[in-house]
Amino acid sequence: MALASDLQWSWTHSSRELLDDLPIATSDGFAHSDTPPARRVALLEAAQLHQLRNDADFMERVRTELARMRAVRAEAITAPEVVYYSPEFGISELLPQYSGGLGILAGDHLKSASDLKISLAAVGLFYRQGFFRQGVDHGHQSERYETYLASDLGAEDTGIIVSVPMADREVAAKVWKFNVGRIPLLALDTDLEQNSVHDRAITDRLYSGDQHHRLEQELVLGVGGARAVAAMGWNPGVHHLNEGHAGFLVLELLDRAWRSGDTVVTARDRIRPHVLFTTHTPVPAGIDRFSGELIDPYLSFWARTWSAEINDVAALGADPTDGVGVFNMAALCLGVAARANGVSALHGEVSRELFTAVPGGDHITSVTNGVHARTWVHPITQDLFDSHLGAGWDLGDPAAWSQAVKIPDDLVRETRTRTQAPLAAMLAERAGVELDPDAVVIGFARRFATYKRATLLLRHRHLLEALLEDQTRPVQFVFAGKAHPADVPGKELMAEILAFGASAEAHGRFSFLVDYDINVARAMYAGCDVWLNTPVRPHEASGTSGEKAALNGALNCSIRDGWWAEMSDGRNGFDITTSAITDSGQRDLEESASTHTAIAAILTEFHADRIEAGATARGAGPSQAWMDRMRDAWVSLGPKVTAARMVADYQRTLYQPMLDEIGANRI
């Protein structure tokens, strides 16, 4: 159980393989191959346990993995200098406590902090029903929810219960702890008997879409999270807010300063050196805002406590551009943060402009997002890198990645062929489609938000149909992703993709994989030759899906937005020309045409050798020019896109300077 409960298995292939080899319990019919490891171990029957104990080879593997795990746990963080707060954490598809990019980033942040031995802990919420599982019903997205127990996911009961003040009551929240390698992750859960039926449901689902529900979740995360940290005996110097969802932590920190003799005004200055804020939104619509009518009853508690006017407390979240009576969570965070950052160089520029009217908005810097290599790179490709790049590639070592130019062509081709197997199996099972081994496989997988423009290719449908008919330069498109249950326009985009994929004009070469999660994403990153990204610039704050694909050997075809804007060099992928037209409809038409132009060039380059050999030649694989471009991408992007680089940047440019300035002072 120790091995199954430590989340190191989520990025240690040998541990995950061992746990996957456990027999599936059958006594109650609830365990399946996708059951979380801790639950799977708990359900093992006596006869199965006896058989495992008598399997010498299996037990030797157990001892090896336990030794590896315990060596890491021996250096577990017990007195974190930094605490990282986020509403979601994407550790594994078997721990459904995430919805999308923000959570995946948070999970990768923790894993890399563990790898680098950063003195960091984390705080989130425990969602009994997680995020929704996706289905398709008559060509449209459907949603279903499943119920999870924290213990089944490997959580430890800390025995701590904190109290969170709401409008007219106190809500109790239980504190669970997950071990993410060296990093402890606390998760607050309000599903307790002493709470009312309403309050037990505060942490039921991630992003329900209801403003009242979200407000109370964010109070539990921010205020309850800060109290959980104190109850653990931790005394961090830096509180790192991953987006504004945890911003109510500011109220708890202000209260601590007030209890030490500060006024509300001077308390802001006192807590400022301890707060770091990372913003992820490049557009005003992405910021959490609450009306005065909704939030004032909750702020009244703090006004009474501090003997302050409610207007003075509400002013903590004021953004002059919002008008009167709006509480802006980003303004709350920026108003007290000593430092703030966006998540790419371009996003830093956009954020300084977006928050120009908010105190602190002018000093937003940037740390470009990265991805945890051992989580996202296919194990076969990891073996290739381990043998040819040497130690340090997963940590972003440029010297290691420079060796990628020496990987022989035959090994690159063989590796790419083998790593397409999971995607081929998934397409066959979920879409009833065969993966063409000769086709350029182009992937698109992300949240179906309108600005990401999943249907951009369909704006020139005749061009798309011509691509799919081309037997000389075969191509196959694979789409995946979810729309938020309340996002009707996003669902309509998905319905368009599904409808076209089902049409005769798609020729079975335009597929959608249902029930998008980390497992589907990994299969696509390892199996696609090209990663397509078509957001409205500059609405993609960073994006990380293309980084994961790049590590696996896929080439990006993207609008120059987010991370790609600073890392594209003309050789490591393909740029989609951005239109200067301001009219959104005409802009989309022009950029759709540019996307088709880029894809046409991709198909010509990929198939160049087989075209030269004859249009009917099969099995030639990617051209020599394509192979050279893949290696160029590894050399130029490998050192830049890892989360190890990202977390090291946070440590060097933000965490350590803040800790140095704080010294022994704590709040």
Coordinates of all heavy atoms in Angstrom, one line a residue, residues 482-564:
K482 N -12.7 18.7 -24.2 CA -14.0 18.8 -23.5 C -14.4 20.3 -23.5 O -13.6 21.2 -23.5 CB -13.9 18.4 -22.0 CG -13.6 17.0 -21.8 CD -13.5 16.7 -20.2 CE -13.4 15.2 -19.9 NZ -13.3 15.0 -18.5
A483 N -15.7 20.5 -23.6 CA -16.3 21.8 -23.3 C -16.9 21.8 -21.9 O -17.4 20.8 -21.5 CB -17.4 22.1 -24.4
H484 N -16.7 23.0 -21.2 CA -17.4 23.1 -19.9 C -18.9 22.8 -20.1 O -19.5 23.2 -21.1 CB -17.1 24.5 -19.3 CG -17.6 24.6 -17.9 ND1 -18.9 24.8 -17.6 CD2 -16.9 24.6 -16.8 CE1 -19.0 24.9 -16.3 NE2 -17.8 24.8 -15.8
P485 N -19.5 22.1 -19.1 CA -20.9 21.8 -19.2 C -21.8 23.0 -19.5 O -22.9 22.9 -20.1 CB -21.2 21.2 -17.9 CG -20.0 20.6 -17.4 CD -18.9 21.5 -17.9
A486 N -21.4 24.2 -19.0 CA -22.2 25.4 -19.2 C -21.8 26.2 -20.5 O -22.4 27.2 -20.8 CB -22.1 26.3 -18.0
D487 N -20.8 25.7 -21.2 CA -20.3 26.4 -22.4 C -21.0 26.0 -23.6 O -20.5 25.1 -24.3 CB -18.7 26.2 -22.5 CG -18.1 27.0 -23.6 OD1 -18.8 27.8 -24.3 OD2 -16.9 26.9 -23.8
V488 N -22.1 26.6 -23.9 CA -22.9 26.2 -25.1 C -22.1 26.4 -26.4 O -22.1 25.5 -27.3 CB -24.2 26.9 -25.1 CG1 -25.0 26.6 -26.4 CG2 -25.1 26.5 -23.9
P489 N -21.5 27.6 -26.6 CA -20.7 27.8 -27.9 C -19.6 26.7 -28.0 O -19.4 26.2 -29.1 CB -20.2 29.2 -27.7 CG -21.1 29.9 -26.8 CD -21.5 28.8 -25.8
G490 N -18.9 26.4 -26.9 CA -17.9 25.4 -27.0 C -18.4 24.0 -27.4 O -17.8 23.3 -28.2
K491 N -19.6 23.7 -26.9 CA -20.3 22.4 -27.2 C -20.7 22.4 -28.7 O -20.6 21.4 -29.4 CB -21.5 22.2 -26.4 CG -21.2 21.8 -24.9 CD -22.5 21.5 -24.2 CE -22.2 21.1 -22.8 NZ -23.4 20.7 -22.0
E492 N -21.0 23.6 -29.2 CA -21.4 23.6 -30.6 C -20.2 23.4 -31.5 O -20.3 22.8 -32.6 CB -22.1 25.0 -30.9 CG -23.4 25.2 -30.3 CD -24.0 26.6 -30.4 OE1 -23.2 27.5 -30.8 OE2 -25.2 26.8 -30.1
L493 N -19.1 23.9 -31.1 CA -17.8 23.7 -31.9 C -17.5 22.2 -31.9 O -17.2 21.6 -33.0 CB -16.7 24.4 -31.3 CG -16.7 25.9 -31.3 CD1 -15.4 26.5 -30.7 CD2 -16.8 26.4 -32.8
M494 N -17.7 21.5 -30.8 CA -17.4 20.1 -30.7 C -18.4 19.3 -31.6 O -18.0 18.4 -32.3 CB -17.5 19.6 -29.3 CG -17.1 18.1 -29.1 SD -17.3 17.6 -27.4 CE -16.2 18.7 -26.6
A495 N -19.7 19.7 -31.6 CA -20.7 19.1 -32.5 C -20.3 19.2 -34.0 O -20.5 18.3 -34.8 CB -22.1 19.7 -32.2
E496 N -19.7 20.4 -34.3 CA -19.3 20.5 -35.7 C -18.2 19.6 -36.1 O -18.2 19.0 -37.2 CB -18.8 22.0 -35.9 CG -19.8 23.0 -36.0 CD -19.2 24.4 -36.4 OE1 -18.6 24.5 -37.5 OE2 -19.4 25.3 -35.6
I497 N -17.2 19.4 -35.1 CA -16.1 18.4 -35.4 C -16.7 17.0 -35.5 O -16.3 16.3 -36.4 CB -15.1 18.5 -34.2 CG1 -14.4 19.9 -34.2 CG2 -14.1 17.4 -34.3 CD1 -13.5 20.1 -35.3
L498 N -17.6 16.6 -34.6 CA -18.2 15.3 -34.6 C -18.9 15.1 -35.9 O -18.8 14.0 -36.5 CB -19.1 15.1 -33.4 CG -18.3 15.0 -32.1 CD1 -19.3 15.2 -30.9 CD2 -17.7 13.6 -32.0
A499 N -19.7 16.1 -36.4 CA -20.5 15.9 -37.6 C -19.6 15.8 -38.8 O -19.9 14.9 -39.7 CB -21.4 17.1 -37.7
F500 N -18.6 16.6 -38.9 CA -17.7 16.5 -40.1 C -17.0 15.1 -40.1 O -16.8 14.4 -41.1 CB -16.7 17.6 -40.1 CG -15.7 17.5 -41.3 CD1 -16.2 17.8 -42.6 CD2 -14.5 17.0 -41.2 CE1 -15.4 17.7 -43.7 CE2 -13.6 16.8 -42.3 CZ -14.1 17.2 -43.5
G501 N -16.5 14.7 -38.9 CA -15.8 13.4 -38.8 C -16.7 12.2 -39.2 O -16.2 11.2 -39.7
A502 N -18.0 12.4 -39.0 CA -19.0 11.3 -39.4 C -19.4 11.4 -40.9 O -20.0 10.5 -41.4 CB -20.2 11.4 -38.5
S503 N -19.0 12.4 -41.6 CA -19.4 12.6 -42.9 C -18.6 11.8 -43.9 O -17.5 11.4 -43.6 CB -19.3 14.1 -43.3 OG -18.0 14.5 -43.4
A504 N -19.2 11.5 -45.1 CA -18.5 10.8 -46.1 C -17.2 11.5 -46.6 O -16.2 10.9 -46.9 CB -19.4 10.5 -47.3
E505 N -17.3 12.8 -46.5 CA -16.1 13.6 -47.0 C -14.9 13.5 -46.1 O -13.8 13.8 -46.6 CB -16.6 15.1 -47.1 CG -17.6 15.4 -48.2 CD -19.0 15.0 -47.8 OE1 -19.2 14.7 -46.6 OE2 -19.9 15.1 -48.6
A506 N -15.1 13.0 -44.9 CA -13.9 12.8 -44.0 C -13.1 11.6 -44.3 O -12.0 11.4 -43.9 CB -14.4 12.8 -42.6
H507 N -13.7 10.6 -45.0 CA -13.1 9.4 -45.5 C -12.4 8.6 -44.3 O -11.4 8.0 -44.5 CB -12.0 9.7 -46.5 CG -12.5 10.4 -47.7 ND1 -13.1 9.7 -48.7 CD2 -12.4 11.7 -48.1 CE1 -13.5 10.5 -49.7 NE2 -13.1 11.8 -49.4
G508 N -13.0 8.7 -43.1 CA -12.5 8.0 -41.9 C -11.2 8.5 -41.5 O -10.5 7.9 -40.7
R509 N -10.8 9.7 -41.9 CA -9.5 10.3 -41.5 C -9.6 11.6 -40.7 O -8.7 12.3 -40.6 CB -8.7 10.6 -42.8 CG -8.3 9.4 -43.6 CD -7.5 9.8 -44.9 NE -7.0 8.6 -45.5 CZ -5.8 8.1 -45.2 NH1 -5.0 8.7 -44.3 NH2 -5.4 7.0 -45.8
F510 N -10.7 11.7 -40.0 CA -11.0 12.9 -39.2 C -11.8 12.4 -38.0 O -13.0 12.3 -38.1 CB -11.7 14.0 -40.0 CG -11.7 15.3 -39.4 CD1 -10.8 16.3 -39.8 CD2 -12.7 15.7 -38.4 CE1 -10.9 17.6 -39.2 CE2 -12.7 16.9 -37.8 CZ -11.8 17.9 -38.3
S511 N -11.1 12.1 -36.9 CA -11.7 11.4 -35.8 C -11.7 12.2 -34.5 O -10.8 13.1 -34.3 CB -11.0 10.1 -35.5 OG -10.9 9.3 -36.7
F512 N -12.6 11.9 -33.6 CA -12.7 12.5 -32.3 C -12.7 11.4 -31.3 O -13.4 10.4 -31.3 CB -14.0 13.3 -32.2 CG -14.2 14.0 -30.8 CD1 -13.6 15.3 -30.7 CD2 -14.8 13.4 -29.7 CE1 -13.7 16.0 -29.5 CE2 -14.8 14.1 -28.5 CZ -14.3 15.4 -28.4
L513 N -11.7 11.5 -30.3 CA -11.6 10.6 -29.2 C -12.4 11.1 -28.0 O -12.1 12.1 -27.4 CB -10.1 10.4 -28.8 CG -9.3 9.6 -29.8 CD1 -7.8 9.7 -29.4 CD2 -9.7 8.2 -29.9
V514 N -13.4 10.3 -27.6 CA -14.3 10.7 -26.5 C -13.6 10.5 -25.1 O -12.7 9.6 -25.0 CB -15.6 9.9 -26.6 CG1 -16.6 10.3 -25.5 CG2 -16.2 10.1 -27.9
D515 N -14.1 11.2 -24.1 CA -13.7 11.1 -22.7 C -12.2 11.5 -22.6 O -11.4 10.8 -22.0 CB -13.9 9.7 -22.2 CG -14.0 9.7 -20.7 OD1 -14.2 10.8 -20.1 OD2 -14.0 8.6 -20.1
Y516 N -11.9 12.7 -23.0 CA -10.5 13.3 -22.9 C -10.0 13.3 -21.5 O -10.7 13.8 -20.6 CB -10.5 14.7 -23.5 CG -9.2 15.3 -23.6 CD1 -8.1 14.7 -24.2 CD2 -9.0 16.6 -23.1 CE1 -6.9 15.4 -24.3 CE2 -7.8 17.3 -23.2 CZ -6.7 16.6 -23.8 OH -5.5 17.3 -23.9
D517 N -8.9 12.8 -21.3 CA -8.2 12.9 -20.0 C -6.7 12.8 -20.2 O -6.2 12.8 -21.3 CB -8.7 11.8 -19.0 CG -8.4 10.4 -19.4 OD1 -7.7 10.2 -20.4 OD2 -8.9 9.5 -18.7
I518 N -5.9 12.6 -19.1 CA -4.5 12.6 -19.2 C -4.1 11.4 -20.0 O -3.1 11.4 -20.8 CB -3.8 12.5 -17.8 CG1 -3.9 13.9 -17.1 CG2 -2.4 12.1 -17.9 CD1 -3.5 14.0 -15.7
N519 N -4.8 10.3 -19.9 CA -4.4 9.0 -20.6 C -4.6 9.2 -22.1 O -3.7 8.8 -22.9 CB -5.3 7.9 -20.1 CG -4.9 6.5 -20.7 OD1 -3.7 6.2 -20.8 ND2 -5.8 5.7 -21.1
V520 N -5.7 9.8 -22.5 CA -5.9 10.1 -23.9 C -4.8 11.1 -24.4 O -4.3 10.9 -25.5 CB -7.3 10.7 -24.2 CG1 -7.5 11.2 -25.6 CG2 -8.4 9.7 -23.8
A521 N -4.5 12.1 -23.6 CA -3.5 13.1 -24.0 C -2.2 12.5 -24.3 O -1.5 12.7 -25.3 CB -3.4 14.2 -23.0
R522 N -1.8 11.6 -23.4 CA -0.5 10.9 -23.5 C -0.4 10.1 -24.8 O 0.6 10.1 -25.5 CB -0.2 10.0 -22.3 CG 0.5 10.7 -21.1 CD 1.1 9.7 -20.2 NE 0.2 8.7 -19.8 CZ -0.5 8.7 -18.7 NH1 -0.3 9.6 -17.8 NH2 -1.3 7.7 -18.4
A523 N -1.5 9.4 -25.1 CA -1.5 8.6 -26.3 C -1.4 9.5 -27.6 O -0.7 9.2 -28.5 CB -2.8 7.8 -26.4
M524 N -2.0 10.7 -27.5 CA -1.9 11.6 -28.7 C -0.6 12.2 -28.8 O 0.0 12.3 -29.9 CB -3.0 12.6 -28.6 CG -4.4 12.0 -28.8 SD -5.7 13.3 -28.8 CE -5.3 14.2 -30.3
Y525 N 0.0 12.7 -27.7 CA 1.3 13.3 -27.8 C 2.4 12.3 -28.3 O 3.3 12.7 -29.1 CB 1.8 13.7 -26.4 CG 0.9 14.8 -25.7 CD1 0.6 14.7 -24.4 CD2 0.4 15.8 -26.5 CE1 -0.2 15.6 -23.8 CE2 -0.5 16.7 -25.9 CZ -0.7 16.6 -24.5 OH -1.6 17.6 -23.9
A526 N 2.3 11.0 -28.0 CA 3.2 10.0 -28.4 C 2.9 9.5 -29.8 O 3.8 9.0 -30.5 CB 3.2 8.8 -27.4
G527 N 1.7 9.7 -30.3 CA 1.3 9.1 -31.6 C 1.2 10.1 -32.7 O 1.1 9.7 -33.9
C528 N 1.1 11.4 -32.4 CA 0.9 12.4 -33.5 C 2.3 12.9 -34.1 O 3.3 13.0 -33.3 CB 0.1 13.6 -33.0 SG -1.6 13.2 -32.6
D529 N 2.3 13.1 -35.3 CA 3.5 13.7 -36.0 C 3.5 15.2 -35.9 O 4.5 15.8 -35.9 CB 3.5 13.3 -37.5 CG 3.6 11.8 -37.6 OD1 4.6 11.2 -37.2 OD2 2.6 11.2 -38.2
V530 N 2.3 15.8 -35.9 CA 2.1 17.3 -35.9 C 1.1 17.6 -34.8 O 0.1 17.0 -34.6 CB 1.6 17.8 -37.3 CG1 1.4 19.3 -37.2 CG2 2.7 17.4 -38.3
W531 N 1.4 18.7 -34.1 CA 0.5 19.2 -33.1 C -0.1 20.6 -33.6 O 0.7 21.5 -33.8 CB 1.2 19.4 -31.7 CG 0.2 19.4 -30.6 CD1 -0.2 20.5 -29.9 CD2 -0.6 18.3 -30.1 NE1 -1.2 20.1 -29.0 CE2 -1.5 18.8 -29.1 CE3 -0.7 17.0 -30.5 CZ2 -2.3 18.0 -28.4 CZ3 -1.6 16.1 -29.8 CH2 -2.4 16.7 -28.8
L532 N -1.4 20.6 -33.7 CA -2.0 21.8 -34.3 C -2.6 22.7 -33.2 O -3.2 22.3 -32.2 CB -3.2 21.4 -35.2 CG -3.9 22.5 -36.0 CD1 -3.0 23.2 -36.9 CD2 -5.1 21.8 -36.7
N533 N -2.3 24.0 -33.3 CA -2.7 25.0 -32.3 C -3.2 26.3 -33.0 O -2.3 26.9 -33.7 CB -1.6 25.3 -31.3 CG -2.0 26.1 -30.1 OD1 -3.1 26.0 -29.6 ND2 -1.1 27.0 -29.7
T534 N -4.4 26.6 -32.9 CA -5.0 27.7 -33.6 C -5.7 28.8 -32.8 O -6.9 29.1 -33.1 CB -5.9 27.2 -34.7 OG1 -6.9 26.3 -34.1 CG2 -5.2 26.4 -35.8
P535 N -5.2 29.2 -31.7 CA -5.9 30.2 -30.9 C -5.9 31.6 -31.5 O -5.2 31.9 -32.4 CB -5.1 30.2 -29.6 CG -3.7 30.0 -30.1 CD -3.8 29.0 -31.2
V536 N -6.8 32.4 -31.0 CA -6.8 33.8 -31.4 C -5.7 34.5 -30.6 O -5.7 34.5 -29.4 CB -8.2 34.5 -31.0 CG1 -8.1 36.0 -31.3 CG2 -9.3 33.8 -31.8
R537 N -4.7 35.0 -31.3 CA -3.6 35.7 -30.6 C -4.1 37.0 -30.1 O -4.8 37.7 -30.8 CB -2.4 35.9 -31.6 CG -1.3 36.6 -31.0 CD -0.2 36.9 -32.1 NE 0.7 38.0 -31.7 CZ 1.9 37.8 -31.3 NH1 2.4 36.5 -31.2 NH2 2.7 38.8 -30.9
P538 N -3.8 37.4 -28.8 CA -2.9 36.7 -27.9 C -3.7 36.1 -26.7 O -3.4 36.3 -25.5 CB -2.0 37.9 -27.3 CG -3.0 39.0 -27.3 CD -4.0 38.8 -28.4
H539 N -4.7 35.3 -27.0 CA -5.6 34.8 -26.0 C -5.1 33.5 -25.3 O -5.6 33.0 -24.4 CB -7.0 34.5 -26.6 CG -7.7 35.8 -26.9 ND1 -9.0 35.8 -27.4 CD2 -7.3 37.1 -26.8 CE1 -9.4 37.1 -27.6 NE2 -8.4 37.9 -27.2
E540 N -4.0 32.9 -25.9 CA -3.4 31.7 -25.3 C -2.3 32.2 -24.4 O -1.2 32.5 -24.8 CB -2.9 30.8 -26.4 CG -2.4 29.4 -25.8 CD -3.6 28.5 -25.6 OE1 -3.9 27.7 -26.5 OE2 -4.1 28.5 -24.4
A541 N -2.6 32.2 -23.1 CA -1.6 32.7 -22.1 C -0.2 32.0 -22.3 O 0.8 32.6 -22.4 CB -2.1 32.6 -20.7
S542 N -0.3 30.7 -22.3 CA 0.9 29.9 -22.6 C 0.6 28.7 -23.4 O 1.1 28.6 -24.5 CB 1.6 29.5 -21.3 OG 2.8 28.7 -21.5
G543 N -0.2 27.8 -22.9 CA -0.4 26.5 -23.5 C 0.7 25.6 -23.3 O 1.9 26.0 -23.2
T544 N 0.5 24.4 -23.0 CA 1.6 23.4 -22.8 C 1.4 22.1 -23.6 O 2.3 21.3 -23.6 CB 1.7 23.0 -21.3 OG1 0.5 22.5 -20.8 CG2 2.1 24.2 -20.4
S545 N 0.3 21.9 -24.2 CA 0.1 20.7 -25.0 C 1.1 20.5 -26.1 O 1.6 19.4 -26.3 CB -1.3 20.6 -25.6 OG -1.6 21.6 -26.5
G546 N 1.4 21.6 -26.7 CA 2.4 21.6 -27.8 C 3.8 21.3 -27.3 O 4.7 20.7 -28.0
E547 N 4.1 21.7 -26.0 CA 5.4 21.3 -25.4 C 5.5 19.8 -25.2 O 6.6 19.2 -25.4 CB 5.6 22.1 -24.1 CG 5.6 23.6 -24.3 CD 5.8 24.4 -23.0 OE1 5.2 23.9 -21.9 OE2 6.4 25.4 -22.9
K548 N 4.4 19.2 -24.7 CA 4.4 17.8 -24.4 C 4.6 17.0 -25.7 O 5.3 16.0 -25.8 CB 3.1 17.4 -23.8 CG 2.9 18.0 -22.4 CD 1.5 17.9 -21.9 CE 1.2 18.8 -20.7 NZ -0.1 19.4 -20.7
A549 N 3.9 17.5 -26.8 CA 4.0 16.8 -28.1 C 5.4 17.0 -28.6 O 6.0 16.0 -29.2 CB 3.0 17.4 -29.1
A550 N 6.1 18.1 -28.4 CA 7.4 18.4 -28.9 C 8.4 17.4 -28.3 O 9.3 16.9 -28.9 CB 7.8 19.8 -28.7
L551 N 8.3 17.2 -27.0 CA 9.2 16.3 -26.3 C 9.1 14.9 -26.9 O 10.1 14.1 -26.9 CB 9.0 16.3 -24.8 CG 9.4 17.5 -24.0 CD1 9.0 17.4 -22.6 CD2 10.8 17.8 -24.2
N552 N 7.9 14.5 -27.3 CA 7.7 13.2 -27.9 C 8.1 13.1 -29.4 O 8.0 12.0 -30.0 CB 6.2 12.8 -27.7 CG 5.9 12.3 -26.3 OD1 6.2 11.1 -26.0 ND2 5.4 13.1 -25.5
G553 N 8.5 14.2 -30.0 CA 9.0 14.1 -31.4 C 8.0 14.7 -32.4 O 8.3 14.7 -33.6
A554 N 6.8 15.2 -31.9 CA 5.9 15.9 -32.8 C 6.4 17.3 -33.1 O 7.0 17.9 -32.3 CB 4.5 15.9 -32.2
L555 N 6.0 17.8 -34.3 CA 6.4 19.1 -34.7 C 5.1 20.0 -34.5 O 4.0 19.6 -34.9 CB 6.9 19.2 -36.1 CG 8.2 18.5 -36.3 CD1 8.6 18.5 -37.8 CD2 9.3 19.1 -35.5
N556 N 5.3 21.2 -34.0 CA 4.2 22.1 -33.8 C 3.9 22.9 -35.1 O 4.7 23.3 -35.8 CB 4.5 23.1 -32.7 CG 4.3 22.5 -31.3 OD1 3.2 22.7 -30.7 ND2 5.3 21.9 -30.7
C557 N 2.6 23.0 -35.3 CA 2.0 23.9 -36.4 C 1.1 24.8 -35.6 O 0.0 24.4 -35.2 CB 1.3 23.1 -37.4 SG 0.5 24.1 -38.7
S558 N 1.5 26.1 -35.4 CA 0.8 26.9 -34.5 C 0.8 28.4 -34.8 O 1.8 28.9 -35.4 CB 1.5 26.7 -33.1 OG 0.9 27.5 -32.1
I559 N -0.2 29.0 -34.4 CA -0.2 30.5 -34.3 C 0.9 30.9 -33.3 O 1.1 30.2 -32.3 CB -1.6 31.0 -33.8 CG1 -2.7 30.7 -34.8 CG2 -1.5 32.5 -33.4 CD1 -2.8 31.6 -36.0
R560 N 1.6 32.0 -33.6 CA 2.7 32.4 -32.7 C 2.0 33.1 -31.5 O 1.9 34.3 -31.4 CB 3.6 33.3 -33.4 CG 4.5 32.6 -34.5 CD 5.5 33.6 -35.1 NE 6.4 34.1 -34.2 CZ 7.6 33.6 -33.9 NH1 8.0 32.5 -34.5 NH2 8.4 34.1 -33.0
D561 N 1.6 32.3 -30.5 CA 1.0 32.8 -29.3 C 1.5 32.0 -28.2 O 2.1 30.9 -28.3 CB -0.5 32.6 -29.4 CG -1.3 33.4 -28.4 OD1 -0.7 34.3 -27.7 OD2 -2.5 33.3 -28.3
G562 N 1.4 32.5 -26.9 CA 1.8 31.8 -25.7 C 3.3 31.4 -25.8 O 4.2 32.2 -26.3
W563 N 3.6 30.2 -25.4 CA 5.1 29.7 -25.4 C 5.7 29.7 -26.8 O 6.9 29.9 -26.9 CB 5.2 28.4 -24.7 CG 4.6 27.2 -25.6 CD1 3.3 26.8 -25.7 CD2 5.4 26.4 -26.4 NE1 3.2 25.8 -26.6 CE2 4.5 25.5 -27.0 CE3 6.8 26.3 -26.7 CZ2 4.9 24.5 -27.9 CZ3 7.2 25.3 -27.6 CH2 6.2 24.4 -28.2
W564 N 4.9 29.4 -27.8 CA 5.4 29.2 -29.1 C 5.9 30.5 -29.7 O 6.8 30.6 -30.5 CB 4.3 28.6 -30.1 CG 4.8 28.3 -31.4 CD1 4.4 28.8 -32.6 CD2 5.7 27.3 -31.8 NE1 5.0 28.3 -33.7 CE2 5.8 27.3 -33.2 CE3 6.5 26.4 -31.1 CZ2 6.7 26.4 -33.9 CZ3 7.3 25.5 -31.8 CH2 7.4 25.6 -33.2

